Amino acid sequence: MNALRQLRLIAFLEGMSFLGLLFVAMPVKYLLGQPLAVRIAGSVHGLLFLLFVSSLFRAASEHGWPARRSLAAFGASLVPFGNFVLDRALKREEDRSPR
């Protein structure tokens, strides 16, 4: 799997886990008093976040991205729905790159 495709896949999974953590697990914890939901969702999200950072590093290295571009991609992962905006830019770049 090429670096951009891997980054897009992991970014999607990480973005979904972030939304699940924010909009499912957190309400379950605070409204229903079940902290286990955050513990489980947070652990999954943490693992996916680490995979995202490593795949971002790989893609940035292979494609020669400037530090500013890498930091922008990293910043997108910190904002809810940011990874889905990042995906559009990555898709355009993937479509332009030779196979």
Side-chain angles (χ1 to χ4, degrees):
M1 179 177 295
N2 70 39
L4 286 177
R5 183 163 304 271
Q6 178 187 13
L7 179 58
R8 288 185 64 213
L9 174 64
I10 293 174
F12 175 79
L13 295 173
E14 193 269 338
M16 292 299 291
S17 73
F18 189 32
L19 294 178
L21 179 62
L22 291 176
F23 297 116
V24 177
M26 295 291 282
V28 167
K29 177 181 178 179
Y30 290 109
L31 297 176
L32 302 177
Q34 297 293 325
L36 184 61
V38 170
R39 202 172 295 148
I40 293 170
S43 296
V44 170
H45 171 66
L47 175 64
L48 288 169
F49 182 75
L50 293 175
L51 290 172
F52 171 79
V53 170
S54 67
S55 65
L56 175 60
F57 182 77
R58 175 183 173 214
S61 297
E62 287 185 16
H63 291 272
W65 291 352
R68 185 177 189 150
R69 172 104 192 261
S70 300
L71 286 173
F74 180 78
S77 73
L78 302 176
V79 177
F81 302 101
N83 281 346
F84 306 114
V85 174
L86 172 65
D87 184 64
R88 291 180 67 201
L90 293 175
K91 172 108 174 81
R92 283 193 302 267
E93 184 170 344
E94 186 179 25
D95 290 344
R96 286 192 311 259
S97 67
R99 298 192 194 261

